[in-house]
Amino acid sequence: VEESWKLLRSEVGPDIKLFQVRYDWMLNPRNGAEEKMVVLQGPDASNTIAVTPNSEIVLVRQYRFGTKEFTLELPGGLMEPGESPRENAARELAEETGYAGSDWTYLGKVPANPVFQDHYIHHWLLRNAQITENVNLDAGEAVEIVLMPVGVAKREFLNGLFVHPHTISALLMFFAGEGLL
Amino acid sequence: VEESWKLLRSEVGPDIKLFQVRYDWMLNPRNGAEEKMVVLQGPDASNTIAVTPNSEIVLVRQYRFGTKEFTLELPGGLMEPGESPRENAARELAEETGYAGSDWTYLGKVPANPVFQDHYIHHWLLRNAQITENVNLDAGEAVEIVLMPVGVAKREFLNGLFVHPHTISALLMFFAGEGLL
């Protein structure tokens, strides 16, 4: 039952700015059918649950271009060449919010979307996060910082306030790890 | 602070099989910078928490082509033209698992990924799900059905077994709605 699909051949597709498209022709072990699958190649990314000394989580409110709506998310972003996941998390947190610190814990990773993306999102926890850096947004960013007490964030998490998939998976790992669920 | 980005113009990008690419030039209200953003246009989709009379959740184990790994997910898939979200959920559930029923509850929706996708995933609950249909997989599918007691699924949810982002968001809505978190 665990029989894998076999990769027959790959073809380079278009570069669509955020991703490099690849097409994989796969052989279905169930029926021998040959299927063309699209894979979006991109770098790994990270996001961070930064908790202040007052037990508040640092969130960012920003306009998202896929749905043309504002969302409340964890700070994070794409890994740059040569960065480790932790360096990536710390840089994105500092650039978007000014928060930084030294007490980092790796929570785990999830595939961005295993159906058609080849990369992963790394989830981090930073305890005792403090503002020590200057916010330094990319030209394509505009961000409002929101501090939310951990208990309120848990209630809002259960109420469906957070809709970005990787903010949800990171908060799940955090709340479960803290024994709060 | 809530000032929106302004859409300056759009351009049709390549059709990459699963998605139609669109490029949007957006004006950043923070700095007046003009930014080219990629949007993947596609249909909405649905997934379903189908609970059997024995309080088991119907899951599907399948090979995913983005990460080249097996995942355990809720049954679901893309909406076809003319389908309602509920018809879509019922069709995908029946085709992938053979389960069907009449006691449907809408749990809510999440954006697939608000950063670069324009569509939504609708989450459904079907109570008293029974096998009444013949499994009828697409040529590009190979699926193993797994029944998992609700209590075990909750423990595995907290332990990180589920990594597909929309399986996570659907299970969160279900467990929270049942008062299990």
Side-chain angles (χ1 to χ4, degrees), chain A residues 13-17 19 21 23 38 40, chain B residues 11-23 36 38-41:
Chain A
D15 179 341
I16 58 170
K17 185 172 186 284
F19 304 106
V21 178
Y23 298 110
V38 61
L40 305 185
Chain B
E11 178 190 314
V12 177
D15 178 342
I16 57 170
K17 185 171 186 282
L18 200 52
F19 304 106
Q20 170 62 54
V21 177
R22 188 184 75 223
Y23 298 109
K36 180 186 179 185
V38 61
V39 178
L40 305 185
Q41 300 174 275

Side-chain angles (χ1 to χ4, degrees), chain B residues 3 5 27-28 44 85 147 169:
Chain B
E3 199 180 353
W5 294 61
L27 188 70
N28 188 338
D44 280 13
L147 298 181
S169 53

Side-chain angles (χ1 to χ4, degrees), chain A residues 115-163:
Chain A
V115 180
F116 61 87
Q117 291 177 262
D118 72 343
H119 42 284
Y120 291 81
I121 316 297
H122 302 270
H123 298 322
W124 292 89
L125 168 62
L126 173 63
R127 297 185 196 276
N128 197 26
Q130 314 233 21
I131 298 189
T132 59
E133 310 294 320
N134 291 318
V135 171
N136 179 22
L137 296 174
D138 295 336
E141 290 182 319
V143 165
E144 175 192 1
I145 297 164
V146 176
L147 297 182
M148 186 177 286
V150 169
V152 175
K154 181 198 154 183
R155 194 176 67 224
E156 295 290 2
F157 174 72
L158 296 179
N159 283 343
L161 177 68
F162 303 104
V163 299

Side-chain angles (χ1 to χ4, degrees), chain B residues 6-162:
Chain B
K6 189 178 161 199
L7 176 62
L8 299 171
R9 63 187 183 280
S10 291
E11 178 190 314
V12 177
D15 178 342
I16 57 170
K17 185 171 186 282
L18 200 52
F19 304 106
Q20 170 62 54
V21 177
R22 188 184 75 223
Y23 298 109
D24 287 346
W25 276 263
M26 306 295 297
L27 188 70
N28 188 338
R30 179 173 65 80
N31 56 13
E34 197 172 312
E35 289 291 322
K36 180 186 179 185
M37 303 294 181
V38 61
V39 178
L40 305 185
Q41 300 174 275
D44 280 13
S46 66
N47 64 14
T48 299
I49 292 137
V51 183
T52 69
N54 292 330
S55 291
E56 296 159 318
I57 297 177
V58 181
L59 298 167
V60 290
R61 186 167 168 76
Q62 58 192 315
Y63 189 73
R64 287 307 200 174
F65 305 101
T67 49
K68 303 285 189 276
E69 292 173 344
F70 284 91
T71 60
L72 196 57
E73 301 178 14
L74 295 168
L78 301 178
M79 201 177 296
E80 291 183 354
E83 269 185 334
S84 70
R86 177 168 157 178
E87 289 165 345
N88 169 234
R91 179 183 54 74
E92 290 285 353
L93 177 67
E95 288 180 0
E96 290 185 359
T97 72
Y99 280 82
S102 58
D103 188 359
W104 289 88
T105 304
Y106 187 58
L107 296 175
K109 67 175 180 175
V110 294
N113 186 320
V115 180
F116 60 87
Q117 291 177 263
D118 72 342
H119 41 284
Y120 291 81
I121 315 297
H122 302 270
H123 298 322
W124 292 89
L125 167 63
L126 173 63
R127 297 185 197 275
N128 197 28
Q130 314 232 20
I131 297 188
T132 59
E133 310 294 320
N134 291 318
V135 172
N136 179 22
L137 296 175
D138 295 337
E141 290 181 320
V143 164
E144 176 193 359
I145 297 164
V146 176
L147 298 181
M148 187 177 286
V150 169
V152 175
K154 180 197 153 181
R155 194 176 66 222
E156 295 291 1
F157 174 71
L158 296 179
N159 284 343
L161 176 68
F162 302 105

